[in-house]
Amino acid sequence: SSELTQDPAVSVALGQTVRITCQGDSLRRYYASWYQQKPGQAPLLVIYGKNNRPSGIPDRFSGSTSGNTASLTITGAQAEDEADYYCNSRDSSGNHLLFGGGTKLTVL
Amino acid sequence: QVQLQESGPGLVKPSQTLSLTCTVSGGSISSGGYHWSWIRQHPGKGLEWIGYIYYTGITYYNPSLQSLVTISLDTSKNQFSLKLSSYTAPYTAVYYCARLKLEPHYFYMDVWGKGTTVTVSS
């Protein structure tokens, strides 16, 4: 299929660990990249590839993949992590890109 | 440090063609290694990939928008552009340009413009 599915909303207590997931057939072949978006701002790349963080992204962000599911894990969530998170991958052709519907993370 | 900046009309009449430009500074779009992409976001909705272009001129578009979209390069100005025809009200959105790195099994968009809002109104 050519879809990536994310839970619409997830919440986590301050300082706890949260996992945001993304499901899709293309994830069996291609790694996902993950973006954080805060209101009124452009998306920010937080994870790409097997588990790579761009410079400046805290090491509490990590990524993993199992089968058709990619996960973004935040270990010790902070208030500033409250945002929308989007996964991004390729479709089965490899030439077209897909975004998941996004997950709104609330830090309680 | 590479930076991207979108520009274009904030207001478009229904059924007109929308034209946006992304100006790249701090690096050359013709140096290779990166693709250049457009993404949009309808109000309160998620991100939607529109298409991307390589410095050779090769393009790929979202199949759902393929018949409406053209992405092109102007290497002399270090810019790339988006044209979206038959622009209609449901497509009022924020448009982003981004630098795209494509590798065999992964990719990422690591530099984004701030985004430009386009509204449809007669």
Side-chain angles (χ1 to χ4, degrees):
Chain A
S1 79
S2 298
E3 290 185 351
L4 296 176
T5 301
Q6 296 183 242
D7 290 328
V10 170
S11 62
V12 61
L14 185 68
Q16 296 303 301
T17 296
V18 63
R19 177 174 291 182
I20 298 170
T21 61
C22 174
Q23 287 189 303
D25 288 343
S26 65
L27 298 174
R28 297 184 185 277
R29 185 175 177 186
Y30 302 107
Y31 289 111
S33 49
W34 289 92
Y35 302 86
Q36 175 193 73
Q37 189 181 34
K38 297 181 179 179
Q41 297 184 16
L44 173 70
L45 176 69
V46 294
I47 290 288
Y48 67 93
K50 191 173 182 180
N51 182 19
N52 299 294
R53 282 176 290 106
S55 174
I57 301 302
D59 60 6
R60 63 178 178 272
F61 290 87
S62 63
S64 61
T65 302
S66 178
N68 72 336
T69 301
S71 299
L72 172 71
T73 300
I74 307 174
T75 304
Q78 302 299 302
E80 61 264 32
D81 300 334
E82 188 163 287
D84 294 326
Y85 290 87
Y86 294 91
C87 61
N88 187 205
S89 186
R90 290 156 131 157
D91 73 355
S92 55
S93 77
N95 294 318
H96 302 135
L97 307 186
L98 301 168
F99 280 102
T103 297
K104 183 176 182 59
L105 176 66
T106 299
V107 180
L108 304 172
Chain B
Q1 182 180 356
V2 174
Q3 294 183 311
L4 280 62
Q5 177 67 59
E6 305 89 351
S7 60
L11 193 62
V12 176
K13 289 184 167 53
S15 78
Q16 276 192 332
T17 294
L18 167 66
S19 295
L20 297 175
T21 296
C22 183
T23 301
V24 180
S25 58
S28 171
I29 61 173
S30 54
S31 62
Y34 291 96
H35 293 68
W36 305 93
S37 186
W38 286 98
I39 303 96
R40 71 179 179 183
Q41 187 170 35
H42 296 123
K45 302 296 185 183
L47 301 171
E48 179 182 26
W49 171 68
I50 298 172
Y52 62 78
I53 189 167
Y54 197 46
Y55 79 99
T56 56
I58 293 175
T59 53
Y60 288 99
Y61 301 132
N62 186 323
S64 68
L65 299 171
Q66 175 118 17
S67 63
L68 303 175
V69 174
T70 302
I71 297 176
S72 59
L73 288 170
D74 186 339
T75 55
S76 67
K77 295 181 179 178
N78 218 34
Q79 296 174 334
F80 62 105
S81 298
L82 169 70
K83 289 189 188 303
L84 183 62
S85 61
S86 303
Y87 201 68
T88 55
Y91 298 101
T92 291
V94 177
Y95 286 78
Y96 297 100
C97 57
R99 185 176 76 168
L100 168 65
K101 181 70 169 178
L102 283 176
E103 297 289 355
H105 295 288
Y106 69 91
F107 69 94
Y108 54 83
M109 289 183 273
D110 62 339
V111 182
W112 292 66
K114 293 187 188 316
T116 187
T117 300
V118 181
T119 302
V120 177
S121 176
S122 55

